[in-house]
Amino acid sequence: MCGIIAYKGERNASEIVVQGLKKLEYRGYDSWGVAIKNKDILLRKEVGKITDFNEELPKSSLAIAHTRWATHGGVTKENAHPHFSCNKEVVIIHNGIVDNFQELKQKLSKDHKFVSETDTEIIAHLIESYLERGYEEAIFEAVKRIEGRYAILVIFRDSNKLIAARKGSPMIVGVEDGGYFIASDIPAFLGYTNKVMYIDDNEMVVIDDGIKFFNLDSRQEVQKRLIEIDWKTEEAEKEGYEHFMIKEIMEQKETIRKAINQDENKLLFIANKINNAFGTYLVGCGTAGKVCQTGEYFFSKIAGKHINFAFASEFTNYHRFLTKGGLMLTVSQSGETADVLEAIEVAKKKEVEVISLLNVFGSSMMRQSDFSFMINAGPEKAVASTKATTSQLALLMLLAYACANKLDEGKKLLIDTASKVNDMLNPRYEEHIRKLAEKIYNSENIYIIGRGANYPMALESAIKIQEVSYIHAEGFAAGELKHGPIALISEKTPCITLVANDENKKDILSNAMEVKARGGYIIGISPENNIIFDYWIKVPDVSDASPIVNIIPVQILAYHLAVLRGLDPDKPRNLAKSVTVK
Ligand code: F6R
């Protein structure tokens, strides 16, 4: 959840890590801190966002930095990272959670004085307690005693080494002539290099004059390859847009097409696995979870296959139904979501193969899956997922067509959908939705209804509106309204109705009518206008691909609701982009 970055090399490390943190703020933004190594180590920590920090810090060739999303301990300067050990010999930043921190703190408190409430500080003291064995040995010993997930970066008062270790939390090395970067995410250093080395779980990296990787258990050196990634710097910048969220929404002109540009043999190979599997589960969290839920409908309607959906956080409760020969299809933008990683562990124990749909190349999930597909959406930096969502939907749909042995038909439909989205996303369209936002941004509640594959999209619409505008929003299966929730409808309550030109059309329009009869304000997202609608947002008619086009206007609406309410849609309160804790 937190963002971390370090640099060691010929450039000015202090500037690189501060700029890197600004690029990583989407990971956490309640406080931040930097440790700069010269003769001594200078610590600078602040509560709040780093965006407006413009001071010049002392130049250096080695620095580490952290932007925090609080877990253990409140949002205070003391709890912000980096953390010193007692004698100030060791400085550490950490992403993850030390599960046994209370036990360790108790043991260490006889000889060590703690100044923060964090679990991280314990690691600094733990390393200090083994320091007489040497820097690398001290870290080997310390991490042996830590239970939980971590990515740590450590520097020392009396050495110029930069050491990192990881287990379960993301971290990657960037390499250029004359310097090394280590960060939780590639965009932190993408402006300098696209050459990377992956740090696997249970590994330690030591950067001194050169770079060496070690296995944390065997303590043996591990050889690594240099990999070039094809993300471009511009993709990770705002490029004239006010916020990443709207930039990424507009990128859907291109990203749907990129998502379906897959190796056909691989699609057919995986389709064959799904067709012959002894039960398949679609697993994800949040928005990616809603994509999985939509996938259930795609596989049922297109391929006549019953595939189960489960939220990753609930998945451990289903493990009894997993058997050898089963399959798990995970969907995740970051590839680092802790709940999904845990679900994968459960599947692996049952000898169930895992196939992942991911956006971040080299992520933990990619490395832990048996097979993976990249959705190729480019870096998604706004906390609210938009372009990754429609890419995931498109690729899942294509897989369903592959399972039905109708890959060409699926491709044709999705290419047509991508081209219609391209036409739809123009300034006039955005303005039409902004005008709607002006009418409803003071609403206390917004409801969204859908049927069939658009039911999970109603749920996803609610997530989008809630997380960036903080308006109470709820999605319902339209037919369920009359069984209770319709009591919530009063005069002028906005009710977004997701309509598709499919077998559900007549019924969803009747449900909207029931809401209108109780005073509701009906916002129709539909290929055709209807007398019931108080406000109509036109979407192209793309038959079974309707969830892809129906969610886009809601993304634009959520964005403008947030802006009109004076909020920063890129950094919603309490949230972080990758949820690497359980
Ligand atoms: C909401 C949102 C989250 C993520 C969820 C899973 O807009 O982005 O609900 O979908 O945290 O994240 P990934 O896809 O990285 O596994």
Side-chain angles (χ1 to χ4, degrees), residues 284-290 331-338 340 357-358 360 365 380 382-386 388-389 392 460 463-464 467-468 575-579:
C285 291
T287 293
K290 300 298 178 275
V331 178
S332 172
Q333 188 285 130
S334 63
E336 301 293 349
T337 304
V340 185
L357 269 55
L358 305 166
V360 179
M365 247 171 255
E380 191 180 66
V383 165
S385 182
T386 54
T389 312
Q392 292 160 346
E460 164 55 11
I463 296 188
K464 242 17 13 120
E467 68 181 330
V468 296
L575 291 168
K577 183 71 182 160
S578 323
V579 187

mmCIF file of all heavy atoms in Angstrom, residues 284-290 331-338 340 357-358 360 365 380 382-386 388-389 392 460 463-464 467-468 575-579, ligand 1:
data_model
loop_
_atom_site.group_PDB
_atom_site.id
_atom_site.type_symbol
_atom_site.label_atom_id
_atom_site.label_comp_id
_atom_site.label_asym_id
_atom_site.label_seq_id
_atom_site.Cartn_x
_atom_site.Cartn_y
_atom_site.Cartn_z
ATOM 1 N N GLY A 284 -11.174 -12.185 -7.608
ATOM 2 C CA GLY A 284 -10.589 -10.842 -7.620
ATOM 3 C C GLY A 284 -11.148 -10.035 -6.465
ATOM 4 O O GLY A 284 -11.969 -10.519 -5.685
ATOM 5 N N CYS A 285 -10.706 -8.776 -6.349
ATOM 6 C CA CYS A 285 -11.184 -7.897 -5.269
ATOM 7 C C CYS A 285 -11.720 -6.599 -5.856
ATOM 8 O O CYS A 285 -11.213 -6.136 -6.879
ATOM 9 C CB CYS A 285 -10.033 -7.493 -4.358
ATOM 10 S SG CYS A 285 -9.389 -8.816 -3.397
ATOM 11 N N GLY A 286 -12.648 -5.993 -5.166
ATOM 12 C CA GLY A 286 -13.137 -4.658 -5.531
ATOM 13 C C GLY A 286 -13.611 -4.635 -6.968
ATOM 14 O O GLY A 286 -14.390 -5.498 -7.422
ATOM 15 N N THR A 287 -13.124 -3.650 -7.706
ATOM 16 C CA THR A 287 -13.521 -3.504 -9.105
ATOM 17 C C THR A 287 -13.164 -4.750 -9.911
ATOM 18 O O THR A 287 -13.963 -5.238 -10.718
ATOM 19 C CB THR A 287 -12.834 -2.252 -9.693
ATOM 20 O OG1 THR A 287 -13.393 -1.113 -9.036
ATOM 21 C CG2 THR A 287 -13.050 -2.130 -11.176
ATOM 22 N N ALA A 288 -11.966 -5.280 -9.684
ATOM 23 C CA ALA A 288 -11.564 -6.498 -10.401
ATOM 24 C C ALA A 288 -12.513 -7.647 -10.035
ATOM 25 O O ALA A 288 -12.806 -8.514 -10.855
ATOM 26 C CB ALA A 288 -10.117 -6.850 -10.068
ATOM 27 N N GLY A 289 -13.017 -7.630 -8.799
ATOM 28 C CA GLY A 289 -14.004 -8.633 -8.369
ATOM 29 C C GLY A 289 -15.288 -8.484 -9.170
ATOM 30 O O GLY A 289 -15.908 -9.483 -9.573
ATOM 31 N N LYS A 290 -15.693 -7.230 -9.409
ATOM 32 C CA LYS A 290 -16.925 -7.004 -10.186
ATOM 33 C C LYS A 290 -16.733 -7.463 -11.632
ATOM 34 O O LYS A 290 -17.663 -7.936 -12.286
ATOM 35 C CB LYS A 290 -17.313 -5.519 -10.158
ATOM 36 C CG LYS A 290 -17.564 -4.990 -8.759
ATOM 37 C CD LYS A 290 -18.720 -5.710 -8.091
ATOM 38 C CE LYS A 290 -18.974 -5.252 -6.678
ATOM 39 N NZ LYS A 290 -18.153 -5.912 -5.650
ATOM 40 N N VAL A 331 -8.169 -12.047 -11.550
ATOM 41 C CA VAL A 331 -8.135 -10.780 -12.292
ATOM 42 C C VAL A 331 -7.596 -9.718 -11.343
ATOM 43 O O VAL A 331 -8.121 -9.525 -10.247
ATOM 44 C CB VAL A 331 -9.553 -10.388 -12.790
ATOM 45 C CG1 VAL A 331 -9.511 -9.042 -13.507
ATOM 46 C CG2 VAL A 331 -10.111 -11.461 -13.722
ATOM 47 N N SER A 332 -6.523 -9.041 -11.751
ATOM 48 C CA SER A 332 -5.940 -8.016 -10.878
ATOM 49 C C SER A 332 -5.137 -7.029 -11.704
ATOM 50 O O SER A 332 -4.326 -7.434 -12.530
ATOM 51 C CB SER A 332 -5.035 -8.687 -9.838
ATOM 52 O OG SER A 332 -4.322 -7.715 -9.114
ATOM 53 N N GLN A 333 -5.381 -5.751 -11.494
ATOM 54 C CA GLN A 333 -4.606 -4.730 -12.199
ATOM 55 C C GLN A 333 -3.164 -4.770 -11.724
ATOM 56 O O GLN A 333 -2.246 -4.918 -12.516
ATOM 57 C CB GLN A 333 -5.247 -3.360 -11.929
ATOM 58 C CG GLN A 333 -4.703 -2.197 -12.732
ATOM 59 C CD GLN A 333 -3.358 -1.675 -12.292
ATOM 60 O OE1 GLN A 333 -2.436 -1.514 -13.115
ATOM 61 N NE2 GLN A 333 -3.176 -1.441 -11.015
ATOM 62 N N SER A 334 -2.980 -4.664 -10.415
ATOM 63 C CA SER A 334 -1.626 -4.530 -9.864
ATOM 64 C C SER A 334 -0.865 -5.850 -9.831
ATOM 65 O O SER A 334 0.360 -5.874 -9.907
ATOM 66 C CB SER A 334 -1.711 -3.998 -8.432
ATOM 67 O OG SER A 334 -2.392 -4.936 -7.613
ATOM 68 N N GLY A 335 -1.592 -6.949 -9.664
ATOM 69 C CA GLY A 335 -0.929 -8.238 -9.464
ATOM 70 C C GLY A 335 -0.300 -8.352 -8.091
ATOM 71 O O GLY A 335 0.507 -9.244 -7.830
ATOM 72 N N GLU A 336 -0.663 -7.422 -7.176
ATOM 73 C CA GLU A 336 -0.049 -7.425 -5.845
ATOM 74 C C GLU A 336 -1.071 -7.485 -4.719
ATOM 75 O O GLU A 336 -0.693 -7.413 -3.548
ATOM 76 C CB GLU A 336 0.796 -6.144 -5.637
ATOM 77 C CG GLU A 336 1.918 -5.949 -6.637
ATOM 78 C CD GLU A 336 3.033 -6.995 -6.509
ATOM 79 O OE1 GLU A 336 3.039 -7.743 -5.517
ATOM 80 O OE2 GLU A 336 3.881 -7.060 -7.419
ATOM 81 N N THR A 337 -2.352 -7.583 -5.026
ATOM 82 C CA THR A 337 -3.377 -7.533 -3.984
ATOM 83 C C THR A 337 -3.238 -8.726 -3.033
ATOM 84 O O THR A 337 -3.310 -9.889 -3.464
ATOM 85 C CB THR A 337 -4.774 -7.495 -4.651
ATOM 86 O OG1 THR A 337 -4.784 -6.381 -5.534
ATOM 87 C CG2 THR A 337 -5.889 -7.365 -3.649
ATOM 88 N N ALA A 338 -3.045 -8.420 -1.754
ATOM 89 C CA ALA A 338 -2.717 -9.469 -0.781
ATOM 90 C C ALA A 338 -3.796 -10.548 -0.718
ATOM 91 O O ALA A 338 -3.481 -11.748 -0.643
ATOM 92 C CB ALA A 338 -2.504 -8.846 0.595
ATOM 93 N N VAL A 340 -5.773 -11.612 -3.023
ATOM 94 C CA VAL A 340 -5.714 -12.497 -4.194
ATOM 95 C C VAL A 340 -4.489 -13.413 -4.080
ATOM 96 O O VAL A 340 -4.563 -14.611 -4.384
ATOM 97 C CB VAL A 340 -5.675 -11.681 -5.514
ATOM 98 C CG1 VAL A 340 -5.732 -12.617 -6.707
ATOM 99 C CG2 VAL A 340 -6.821 -10.679 -5.581
ATOM 100 N N LEU A 357 -5.132 -12.616 -15.133
ATOM 101 C CA LEU A 357 -5.255 -11.498 -16.080
ATOM 102 C C LEU A 357 -4.705 -10.277 -15.368
ATOM 103 O O LEU A 357 -5.288 -9.825 -14.369
ATOM 104 C CB LEU A 357 -6.734 -11.257 -16.428
ATOM 105 C CG LEU A 357 -7.322 -11.989 -17.628
ATOM 106 C CD1 LEU A 357 -7.125 -13.489 -17.528
ATOM 107 C CD2 LEU A 357 -8.785 -11.654 -17.799
ATOM 108 N N LEU A 358 -3.590 -9.739 -15.842
ATOM 109 C CA LEU A 358 -2.855 -8.727 -15.076
ATOM 110 C C LEU A 358 -2.486 -7.528 -15.938
ATOM 111 O O LEU A 358 -2.444 -7.625 -17.165
ATOM 112 C CB LEU A 358 -1.554 -9.348 -14.542
ATOM 113 C CG LEU A 358 -1.705 -10.614 -13.710
ATOM 114 C CD1 LEU A 358 -0.353 -11.293 -13.540
ATOM 115 C CD2 LEU A 358 -2.298 -10.284 -12.352
ATOM 116 N N VAL A 360 0.288 -5.372 -14.536
ATOM 117 C CA VAL A 360 1.680 -5.052 -14.208
ATOM 118 C C VAL A 360 2.568 -6.271 -14.470
ATOM 119 O O VAL A 360 2.454 -7.302 -13.799
ATOM 120 C CB VAL A 360 1.822 -4.565 -12.744
ATOM 121 C CG1 VAL A 360 3.280 -4.265 -12.428
ATOM 122 C CG2 VAL A 360 0.969 -3.325 -12.533
ATOM 123 N N MET A 365 1.810 -11.717 -8.690
ATOM 124 C CA MET A 365 0.824 -12.677 -9.197
ATOM 125 C C MET A 365 1.293 -13.334 -10.494
ATOM 126 O O MET A 365 1.065 -14.516 -10.706
ATOM 127 C CB MET A 365 -0.501 -11.960 -9.442
ATOM 128 C CG MET A 365 -1.583 -12.416 -8.515
ATOM 129 S SD MET A 365 -3.011 -11.365 -8.694
ATOM 130 C CE MET A 365 -2.881 -10.399 -7.210
ATOM 131 N N GLU A 380 -1.670 2.362 -14.659
ATOM 132 C CA GLU A 380 -2.908 2.983 -14.155
ATOM 133 C C GLU A 380 -2.556 3.603 -12.814
ATOM 134 O O GLU A 380 -2.225 2.888 -11.868
ATOM 135 C CB GLU A 380 -4.021 1.940 -14.006
ATOM 136 C CG GLU A 380 -5.368 2.579 -13.742
ATOM 137 C CD GLU A 380 -6.493 1.559 -13.602
ATOM 138 O OE1 GLU A 380 -6.471 0.779 -12.624
ATOM 139 O OE2 GLU A 380 -7.390 1.540 -14.446
ATOM 140 N N ALA A 382 -4.375 6.529 -11.235
ATOM 141 C CA ALA A 382 -5.478 6.986 -10.383
ATOM 142 C C ALA A 382 -5.886 5.808 -9.509
ATOM 143 O O ALA A 382 -5.886 4.656 -9.984
ATOM 144 C CB ALA A 382 -6.648 7.442 -11.241
ATOM 145 N N VAL A 383 -6.243 6.091 -8.270
ATOM 146 C CA VAL A 383 -6.631 5.005 -7.363
ATOM 147 C C VAL A 383 -7.845 4.250 -7.920
ATOM 148 O O VAL A 383 -7.901 3.025 -7.889
ATOM 149 C CB VAL A 383 -6.882 5.563 -5.944
ATOM 150 C CG1 VAL A 383 -7.616 4.552 -5.093
ATOM 151 C CG2 VAL A 383 -5.556 5.939 -5.296
ATOM 152 N N ALA A 384 -8.801 4.991 -8.465
ATOM 153 C CA ALA A 384 -10.002 4.342 -9.009
ATOM 154 C C ALA A 384 -9.668 3.699 -10.344
ATOM 155 O O ALA A 384 -9.198 4.360 -11.270
ATOM 156 C CB ALA A 384 -11.106 5.378 -9.183
ATOM 157 N N SER A 385 -9.941 2.428 -10.443
ATOM 158 C CA SER A 385 -9.628 1.718 -11.677
ATOM 159 C C SER A 385 -10.649 2.058 -12.762
ATOM 160 O O SER A 385 -11.856 2.058 -12.527
ATOM 161 C CB SER A 385 -9.665 0.217 -11.395
ATOM 162 O OG SER A 385 -9.314 -0.472 -12.562
ATOM 163 N N THR A 386 -10.171 2.376 -13.953
ATOM 164 C CA THR A 386 -11.077 2.690 -15.071
ATOM 165 C C THR A 386 -10.663 1.911 -16.322
ATOM 166 O O THR A 386 -11.307 0.958 -16.720
ATOM 167 C CB THR A 386 -11.098 4.207 -15.355
ATOM 168 O OG1 THR A 386 -9.755 4.671 -15.566
ATOM 169 C CG2 THR A 386 -11.749 4.978 -14.243
ATOM 170 N N ALA A 388 -8.244 -0.164 -16.764
ATOM 171 C CA ALA A 388 -7.944 -1.585 -16.517
ATOM 172 C C ALA A 388 -9.239 -2.391 -16.506
ATOM 173 O O ALA A 388 -9.296 -3.524 -16.998
ATOM 174 C CB ALA A 388 -7.188 -1.756 -15.209
ATOM 175 N N THR A 389 -10.315 -1.791 -15.958
ATOM 176 C CA THR A 389 -11.602 -2.489 -15.846
ATOM 177 C C THR A 389 -12.128 -2.933 -17.212
ATOM 178 O O THR A 389 -12.475 -4.100 -17.419
ATOM 179 C CB THR A 389 -12.650 -1.549 -15.198
ATOM 180 O OG1 THR A 389 -12.071 -0.973 -14.040
ATOM 181 C CG2 THR A 389 -13.929 -2.260 -14.874
ATOM 182 N N GLN A 392 -9.973 -5.604 -18.750
ATOM 183 C CA GLN A 392 -10.202 -6.919 -18.134
ATOM 184 C C GLN A 392 -11.495 -7.528 -18.664
ATOM 185 O O GLN A 392 -11.557 -8.726 -18.986
ATOM 186 C CB GLN A 392 -10.293 -6.762 -16.609
ATOM 187 C CG GLN A 392 -8.978 -6.369 -15.939
ATOM 188 C CD GLN A 392 -9.175 -5.747 -14.560
ATOM 189 O OE1 GLN A 392 -10.275 -5.361 -14.177
ATOM 190 N NE2 GLN A 392 -8.093 -5.645 -13.803
ATOM 191 N N GLU A 460 -20.309 -2.119 -9.685
ATOM 192 C CA GLU A 460 -19.064 -1.412 -9.965
ATOM 193 C C GLU A 460 -19.321 0.101 -10.063
ATOM 194 O O GLU A 460 -18.508 0.911 -9.601
ATOM 195 C CB GLU A 460 -18.435 -1.962 -11.257
ATOM 196 C CG GLU A 460 -17.351 -1.103 -11.901
ATOM 197 C CD GLU A 460 -16.195 -0.735 -10.988
ATOM 198 O OE1 GLU A 460 -16.083 -1.300 -9.889
ATOM 199 O OE2 GLU A 460 -15.420 0.173 -11.365
ATOM 200 N N ILE A 463 -19.221 1.495 -6.673
ATOM 201 C CA ILE A 463 -17.847 1.637 -6.149
ATOM 202 C C ILE A 463 -17.221 2.913 -6.701
ATOM 203 O O ILE A 463 -16.629 3.707 -5.973
ATOM 204 C CB ILE A 463 -16.943 0.442 -6.553
ATOM 205 C CG1 ILE A 463 -17.426 -0.864 -5.944
ATOM 206 C CG2 ILE A 463 -15.489 0.706 -6.164
ATOM 207 C CD1 ILE A 463 -16.465 -2.043 -6.140
ATOM 208 N N LYS A 464 -17.372 3.121 -8.023
ATOM 209 C CA LYS A 464 -16.731 4.289 -8.648
ATOM 210 C C LYS A 464 -17.222 5.574 -8.005
ATOM 211 O O LYS A 464 -16.442 6.455 -7.661
ATOM 212 C CB LYS A 464 -17.050 4.283 -10.130
ATOM 213 C CG LYS A 464 -16.103 4.189 -11.208
ATOM 214 C CD LYS A 464 -14.702 3.757 -11.212
ATOM 215 C CE LYS A 464 -14.074 3.074 -10.089
ATOM 216 N NZ LYS A 464 -13.528 1.769 -10.254
ATOM 217 N N GLU A 467 -16.115 5.910 -4.141
ATOM 218 C CA GLU A 467 -14.717 6.104 -3.773
ATOM 219 C C GLU A 467 -14.171 7.469 -4.145
ATOM 220 O O GLU A 467 -13.298 7.978 -3.458
ATOM 221 C CB GLU A 467 -13.824 4.986 -4.322
ATOM 222 C CG GLU A 467 -13.664 4.951 -5.801
ATOM 223 C CD GLU A 467 -12.786 3.791 -6.278
ATOM 224 O OE1 GLU A 467 -11.894 3.363 -5.554
ATOM 225 O OE2 GLU A 467 -13.012 3.334 -7.419
ATOM 226 N N VAL A 468 -14.688 8.082 -5.211
ATOM 227 C CA VAL A 468 -14.113 9.390 -5.552
ATOM 228 C C VAL A 468 -14.982 10.579 -5.149
ATOM 229 O O VAL A 468 -14.466 11.663 -4.909
ATOM 230 C CB VAL A 468 -13.707 9.498 -7.043
ATOM 231 C CG1 VAL A 468 -12.611 8.521 -7.385
ATOM 232 C CG2 VAL A 468 -14.888 9.357 -7.986
ATOM 233 N N LEU A 575 -7.934 5.421 0.882
ATOM 234 C CA LEU A 575 -7.672 4.358 -0.098
ATOM 235 C C LEU A 575 -6.228 4.383 -0.586
ATOM 236 O O LEU A 575 -5.539 5.377 -0.449
ATOM 237 C CB LEU A 575 -8.590 4.526 -1.309
ATOM 238 C CG LEU A 575 -10.064 4.253 -1.063
ATOM 239 C CD1 LEU A 575 -10.889 4.730 -2.227
ATOM 240 C CD2 LEU A 575 -10.290 2.768 -0.854
ATOM 241 N N ALA A 576 -5.806 3.285 -1.167
ATOM 242 C CA ALA A 576 -4.491 3.230 -1.808
ATOM 243 C C ALA A 576 -4.633 2.366 -3.050
ATOM 244 O O ALA A 576 -5.549 1.564 -3.156
ATOM 245 C CB ALA A 576 -3.463 2.640 -0.863
ATOM 246 N N LYS A 577 -3.722 2.542 -3.989
ATOM 247 C CA LYS A 577 -3.877 1.866 -5.273
ATOM 248 C C LYS A 577 -3.697 0.350 -5.185
ATOM 249 O O LYS A 577 -4.512 -0.396 -5.692
ATOM 250 C CB LYS A 577 -2.895 2.469 -6.282
ATOM 251 C CG LYS A 577 -3.005 1.894 -7.677
ATOM 252 C CD LYS A 577 -4.277 2.341 -8.370
ATOM 253 C CE LYS A 577 -4.452 1.744 -9.753
ATOM 254 N NZ LYS A 577 -5.839 1.787 -10.206
ATOM 255 N N SER A 578 -2.590 -0.088 -4.579
ATOM 256 C CA SER A 578 -2.453 -1.551 -4.459
ATOM 257 C C SER A 578 -2.655 -1.918 -3.005
ATOM 258 O O SER A 578 -1.984 -1.367 -2.135
ATOM 259 C CB SER A 578 -1.067 -2.053 -4.838
ATOM 260 O OG SER A 578 -0.564 -1.339 -5.880
ATOM 261 N N VAL A 579 -3.555 -2.853 -2.789
ATOM 262 C CA VAL A 579 -3.891 -3.194 -1.405
ATOM 263 C C VAL A 579 -3.074 -4.417 -1.003
ATOM 264 O O VAL A 579 -3.506 -5.552 -1.159
ATOM 265 C CB VAL A 579 -5.411 -3.394 -1.253
ATOM 266 C CG1 VAL A 579 -5.772 -3.582 0.203
ATOM 267 C CG2 VAL A 579 -6.145 -2.186 -1.806
HETATM 268 C C1 F6R B 1 -11.550 0.523 -7.226
HETATM 269 C C2 F6R B 1 -10.334 -0.257 -7.309
HETATM 270 C C3 F6R B 1 -10.156 -1.399 -6.380
HETATM 271 C C4 F6R B 1 -9.324 -2.505 -7.019
HETATM 272 C C5 F6R B 1 -9.020 -3.600 -5.987
HETATM 273 C C6 F6R B 1 -8.202 -4.723 -6.601
HETATM 274 O O1 F6R B 1 -11.617 1.486 -8.230
HETATM 275 O O2 F6R B 1 -9.466 0.033 -8.097
HETATM 276 O O3 F6R B 1 -11.380 -1.897 -5.934
HETATM 277 O O4 F6R B 1 -10.011 -3.045 -8.103
HETATM 278 O O5 F6R B 1 -8.322 -3.066 -4.917
HETATM 279 O O6 F6R B 1 -6.988 -4.258 -7.104
HETATM 280 P P1 F6R B 1 -6.186 -5.071 -8.177
HETATM 281 O O7 F6R B 1 -6.939 -5.036 -9.453
HETATM 282 O O8 F6R B 1 -4.863 -4.368 -8.287
HETATM 283 O O9 F6R B 1 -6.055 -6.472 -7.643
#
